[in-house]
Each structure stands twice: as structure tokens, then as C-alpha cells.
């Protein structure tokens, strides 16, 4: 039987329904995720999309507001509440940091406001914690290891040790990666949790080094990943025969670390700027319009903004129920995702890509850092709707 939403729509119209479309970019503007995930580049992507749309919808100007959630769920929730109750924000996007993403998605849904998570990774957003108005757009902790862990295990890396970011994202990513490793006949010999924004990974790396693991899985992201990789090289871990597996790596991380350090590293992403002509054209315009890093989360924000604005236009209102229905009924077919669909659980299902960092001699430009090794079809990358665990979805 086809999947259907198991909870009825509220009797009263949701959202602001005032014809004035205000887009809120709530992200990490100064911390560990401010470079490739969020920050100024995220705001630039949303502003560029609004401008490309024509600067107005339903006959009124599109407004973009932004704020720094400081990677704190309470700060993010307070900002989101003020935006909704006082400022008339219609949709809240970015939400990098899974603890933030979960908190704001729940709060906004209670108030009938759409959220579009492009930076959060936890699959819980469309699993047990799914909501009527929550959308997860770009990648999740189920899709990431399907590419990276599968490639590593099949190449002989069967004994794993995890260094895991100690909050919702890290735990979800380790759990999902473990499942892939064990399903393919591998094993996990140990793990250790590291606080967000860790500067010194020495004790965690020494535990991993002495574990006997072939592969050290980094279930973290942003500066935590780059710090761990740099220090692993200082300890001679890779030279000693162990392999690092970055489970959420962005192109900005590769550039920060340098190809001398990352050459040959495999990682999974929802988009790559050099995939085709449409992606290259968008990247050139984005960088010319204040964009900072042509990463998957920044491209996803542009795509999600356009999808939202097209849905408002199609619905003829900014009322949330009508807009959410329009987003679900229209395929996402653009430079970011071809043939993508937003499912009833809120997940954008689309193809993912396994990338491999180039050798330094192979790079021909600033962002020419990787090659696409394999395309992973969306229906294989993501958990099925029936498997998602979303309580709102009934078979």
C-alpha cells in the first residue's frame, strides 16, 4: 500500500498566511561549522536564490534574515520562537548541528512553521522525531556511510574504531555506520566520544591507534574532523598502516587540509560542483555573488530556497499546509538534485556521490579537489519510507 500521512491537518491554517515571505537562515555563523556548512556562505546562497527568483513572490518582496545559534539548542529555540511569534518568519533553514535541528524542527512544527534542515545530518529528523512541517534536504547519517563505509569495507577495511562527536549527530552517524560495516561482515572493536569543538584529539587518537583497528572512523564534522585528521598525521597513524575514514567530509575540509594530506581519501556527498555543466555554472555565479565555499550544504540551501519559493507561488499563499503540500507534490529537478522528491516523512530522496580526493599533481584549480567515483541512487542511499521510523507515516 502506498505510504500516507497518518495525522490529519490542523483545523486552523498554519503559518503566518500574510503574503509576506520572510526566510530565516539560522546557522552556525562563528563556530566549528561556520565554514562549509553554514556561515556567510549559507546566507549568500539563500540571498542569491531569492534574487534569482525575482526578488518577490505573491507580489511582495522576499526578505532574508539570519542569526547565529552558537551551536546551542536553547539559543536556537529562543531565536526561532522570536522569529515566529514576533517577526513573521515563514520558514527556517540551515539549522546546522543536529541538536539544534531537532529542537527547532519540533518547536516550529508546533507553531505550524516549515523548517528545512540542510546542515543537520541525523536521520532522526525524518525518523522517530519527524514532524508535519519538517524537511531534511541534502544528506543524512544513513546515506553517508552507505557510500564511504561500503567502499572501505569492500576494499578490505573490516576492523573499525570510532571517534564520535558526543551529541545527536555523532551518535546517529556512528550507529548508522556500524550497521553498514557489520552488515558487510566487518566489526567494530571500540569507540570513544569526543566533545564538540575539541582542539586536542591526542588521547582519542592514541586509543584508536592501540585498538588494532584497520580503520578509524571519524563520526564528526567541520573543524573537529580537520583537527582530528591533522593530529592523526602528526602521530603517524596513517603512515603506520591505519586508515582514516571521514564520515562527513566537505570540500572545504579537503581544501583546508590540503591534497598532500587528503589525497586518496574517499567521502560521500549529496552534490559536487564539477559534476556537470549546470553545477559548474551555478558555482561560478555563487562565488561571484558573495558565496564562500561551493559545498553540498550551501548548494542545498539555494536549491531548497528555490523549491520553497516555487511552492509558495504554486500554492498562491504562504500558509504552511498549502506550501508543504506543494513541495511534496513537485519533483526537485535542478543543478543540485535530478529527480529528487520530498517524501511524506520530510526527507528529500536523491542521488548521493562517492568522491575521492585527488593527488596534488591532478588538481587544476582552487576547488578542483576530487573526482566522482560512484553515483549511489537515492533509493539505495536512504532508508525506505517504511524503514524510516517516522510515526506520522502509515503503510
Amino acid at each position: 500500500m502506498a505510504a500516507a500521512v497518518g495525522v490529519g491537518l490542523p483545523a486552523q491554517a498554519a503559518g503566518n498566511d500574510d503574503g509576506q515571505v520572510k526566510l530565516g537562515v539560522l546557522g552556525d555563523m562563528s563556530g566549528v561549522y561556520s565554514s562549509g556548512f553554514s556561515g556567510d556562505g549559507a546566507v549568500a546562497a539563500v540571498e542569491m536564490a531569492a534574487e534569482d527568483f525575482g526578488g518577490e513572490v505573491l507580489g511582495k518582496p522576499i526578505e532574508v534574515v539570519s542569526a547565529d545559534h552558537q551551536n546551542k539548542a536553547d539559543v536556537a529555540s529562543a531565536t526561532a520562537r522570536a522569529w515566529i511569534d514576533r517577526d513573521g518568519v515563514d520558514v527556517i533553514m540551515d539549522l546546522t548541528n543536529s541538536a539544534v535541528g531537532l529542537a527547532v524542527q519540533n518547536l516550529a512544527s508546533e507553531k505550524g512553521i516549515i523548517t528545512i534542515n540542510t546542515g543537520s545530518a541525523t536521520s532522526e529528523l525524518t525518523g522517530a522525531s519527524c514532524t508535519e512541517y519538517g524537511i531534511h534536504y541534502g544528506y543524512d547519517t544513513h546515506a553517508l556511510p552507505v557510500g564511504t563505509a561500503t567502499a572501505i569495507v569492500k576494499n578490505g577495511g573490516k576492523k573499525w574504531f570510532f571517534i564520535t562527536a558526543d551529541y545527536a549527530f555523532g551518535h546517529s552517524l556512528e550507529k548508522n555506520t556500524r550497521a553498514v560495516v557489520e552488515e558487510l561482515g566487518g566489526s567494530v572493536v571500540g569507540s570513544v566520544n569526543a566533545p564538540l569543538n575539541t582542539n586536542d584529539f591526542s588521547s582519542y587518537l592514541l586509543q584508536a591507534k592501540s585498538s588494532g583497528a584497520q580503520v578509524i572512523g571519524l563520526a564528526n564534522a567541520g573543524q573537529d574532523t580537520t583537527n582530528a585528521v591533522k593530529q592523526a598525521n602528526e602521530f603517524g597513524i596513517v603512515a603506520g598502516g591505519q586508515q582514516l575514514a571521514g564520515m562527513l567530509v566537505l570540500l572545504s575540509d579537503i581544501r583546508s587540509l590540503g591534497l598532500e594530506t587528503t589525497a586518496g581519501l574517499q567521502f560521500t556527498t549529496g552534490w559536487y560542483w564539477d559534476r556537470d555543466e549546470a553545477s559548474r555554472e551555478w558555482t561560478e555565479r555563487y562565488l561571484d555573488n558573495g558565496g564562500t565555499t561551493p559545498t553540498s550544504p550551501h548548494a542545498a540551501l539555494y536549491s531548497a530556497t528555490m523549491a520553497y519559493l516555487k511552492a509558495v507561488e504554486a500554492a498562491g499563499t504562504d500558509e504552511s499546509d498549502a506550501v508543504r503540500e506543494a513541495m511534496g507534490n513537485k519533483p526537485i529537478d535542478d543543478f543540485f538534485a535530478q529527480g529528487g522528491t520530498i517524501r511524506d516523512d520530510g526527507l528529500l530522496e536523491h542521488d548521493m556521490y562517492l568522491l575521492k580526493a585527488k593527488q596534488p599533481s591532478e588538481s587544476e584549480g582552487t576547488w578542483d579537489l576530487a573526482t566522482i567515483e560512484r553515483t549511489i541512487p537515492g533509493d539505495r542511499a536512504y532508508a525506505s519510507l517504511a524503514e524510516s521510523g517516522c510515526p506520522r507515516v502509515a503503510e
Side-chain angles (χ1 to χ4, degrees):
M1 184 184 298
V5 175
V7 177
L9 297 176
Q12 192 171 10
N16 296 304
D17 193 24
D18 57 3
Q20 175 70 51
V21 173
K22 187 176 289 190
L23 315 174
V25 185
L26 184 54
D28 178 358
M29 301 298 170
S30 58
V32 64
Y33 300 133
S34 60
S35 177
F37 289 93
S38 194
D40 292 341
V43 178
V46 174
E47 290 179 340
M48 178 177 159
E51 183 178 345
D52 286 351
F53 195 80
E56 63 177 40
V57 64
L58 305 180
K60 293 187 178 181
I62 301 164
E63 185 177 350
V64 178
V65 297
S66 63
D68 187 354
H69 59 51
Q70 302 172 40
N71 286 301
K72 297 176 181 177
D74 57 343
V75 172
S77 296
T79 301
R81 186 175 290 107
W83 275 1
I84 296 167
D85 293 344
R86 182 191 66 203
D87 301 331
V89 168
D90 294 280
V91 59
I92 301 176
M93 297 183 290
D94 186 348
L95 299 171
T96 298
N97 182 309
S98 290
V100 164
L102 288 164
V104 174
Q105 176 173 282
N106 184 61
L107 168 69
S109 191
E110 289 177 354
K111 293 177 174 289
I113 294 296
I114 291 171
T115 52
I116 306 179
N117 275 273
T118 53
S120 302
T122 179
S123 55
E124 287 297 298
L125 287 162
T126 54
S129 299
C130 72
T131 66
E132 188 168 358
Y133 303 104
I135 294 172
H136 199 182
Y137 204 106
Y139 62 93
D140 71 6
T141 53
H142 184 281
L144 293 169
V146 168
T148 306
T150 297
I152 290 173
V153 174
K154 287 186 174 180
N155 199 38
K158 293 192 172 183
K159 290 177 65 178
W160 287 60
F161 183 98
F162 287 98
I163 298 176
T164 301
D166 194 12
Y167 75 107
F169 152 67
H171 298 305
S172 182
L173 186 53
E174 180 186 331
K175 176 183 175 182
N176 282 279
T177 307
R178 276 177 176 263
V180 172
V181 170
E182 291 170 354
E183 183 179 347
L184 293 172
S187 63
V188 177
V189 298
S191 66
V192 62
N193 295 328
L196 180 66
N197 205 17
T198 293
N199 291 317
D200 184 2
F201 279 87
S202 57
S203 65
Y204 311 120
L205 289 166
L206 288 173
Q207 290 181 61
K209 186 176 182 179
S210 63
S211 69
Q214 296 167 294
V215 182
I216 301 172
L218 302 177
N220 52 19
Q223 289 177 17
D224 285 345
T225 295
T226 57
N227 284 340
V229 172
K230 287 176 182 176
Q231 290 167 36
N233 277 274
E234 292 168 3
F235 279 109
I237 286 176
V238 175
Q242 288 175 298
Q243 180 178 357
L244 296 178
M247 303 314 302
L248 177 47
V249 174
L250 299 183
L251 206 62
S252 52
D253 302 326
I254 301 298
R255 185 184 180 194
S256 174
L257 289 163
L259 292 179
E260 293 81 5
T261 299
T262 60
L265 180 70
Q266 292 181 308
F267 58 103
T268 302
T269 183
W271 175 83
Y272 182 53
W273 74 269
D274 202 21
R275 184 187 66 193
D276 55 26
E277 187 56 39
S279 295
R280 289 188 286 271
E281 188 273 337
W282 180 85
T283 297
E284 184 176 353
R285 290 199 309 110
Y286 169 71
L287 294 174
D288 286 343
N289 282 274
T292 57
T293 56
T295 58
S296 180
H298 289 165
L301 267 170
Y302 177 97
S303 176
T305 303
M306 292 295 285
Y308 176 81
L309 293 172
K310 288 176 181 178
V312 171
E313 185 176 61
T317 176
D318 57 351
E319 187 270 319
S320 295
D321 290 325
V323 174
R324 176 64 182 87
E325 181 179 3
M327 291 188 77
N329 287 338
K330 185 174 178 58
I332 307 299
D333 243 327
D334 60 8
F335 78 99
F336 179 78
Q338 284 89 48
T341 55
I342 297 175
R343 308 186 322 194
D344 286 344
D345 59 357
L347 175 72
L348 170 65
E349 183 179 295
H350 68 114
D351 292 349
M352 299 286 289
Y353 303 92
L354 178 67
L355 270 59
K356 184 176 182 180
K358 289 186 172 185
Q359 297 292 330
S361 61
E362 297 173 329
S363 176
E364 298 181 356
T366 302
W367 295 105
D368 183 27
L369 303 174
T371 56
I372 296 176
E373 298 290 291
R374 184 162 65 95
T375 298
I376 307 161
D379 60 357
R380 292 174 59 184
Y382 294 95
S384 70
L385 196 57
E387 296 169 332
S388 70
C390 175
R392 296 189 56 257
V393 175
E395 290 190 68

